[in-house]
Amino acid sequence: DLRGISLVTDYFVICSGLNVIQVGAIAEHIVEQLEQRGLRPLQVEGKAAARWVLVDYGDVVVHIFLQREREYYDLERLWGDAPRVDLAAAIEA
């Protein structure tokens, strides 16, 4: 939850895949599912290499990493002062 911390977005969703095919598939699935709900991304970056794919929805930015890149860039540490949100619990609520 980056509200009050970042001027760029309200939330980061950070996840990882085991290989570039899985990273690309996760990104495609997110885009497809949200398009079915009428939401289109403002920007998708990194899909060709699929090592770190960023899907920008404005208020929510989704980062899909290969595990090695996730550990290297360590966004969780960079934004460590932001409270974490349990996505499953938030969806249920």
Side-chain angles (χ1 to χ4, degrees), residues 61-78:
V61 176
V62 182
H63 298 269
I64 308 114
F65 288 98
L66 280 176
Q67 188 60 38
R68 184 175 178 183
E69 274 72 13
R70 182 174 179 174
E71 291 168 3
Y72 179 80
Y73 290 103
D74 199 6
L75 295 184
E76 292 92 338
R77 181 187 53 78
L78 289 174

Side-chain angles (χ1 to χ4, degrees), residues 3-75:
R3 294 174 295 175
I5 298 172
S6 170
L7 298 175
V8 178
T9 190
D10 289 342
Y11 293 94
F12 275 171
V13 175
I14 303 171
C15 62
S16 39
L18 300 175
N19 55 56
V20 294
I21 294 170
Q22 189 175 45
V23 168
I26 291 168
E28 286 179 26
H29 187 72
I30 290 169
V31 170
E32 288 171 3
Q33 291 299 306
L34 291 178
E35 281 183 351
Q36 288 178 10
R37 290 163 177 79
L39 299 170
R40 300 182 80 93
L42 302 172
Q43 187 75 22
V44 178
E45 298 284 342
K47 193 170 176 194
R51 300 176 67 78
W52 175 5
V53 179
L54 182 143
V55 186
D56 183 356
Y57 287 96
D59 292 341
V60 177
V61 176
V62 182
H63 298 269
I64 308 114
F65 288 98
L66 280 176
Q67 188 60 38
R68 184 175 178 183
E69 274 72 13
R70 182 174 179 174
E71 291 168 3
Y72 179 80
Y73 290 103
D74 199 6
L75 295 184

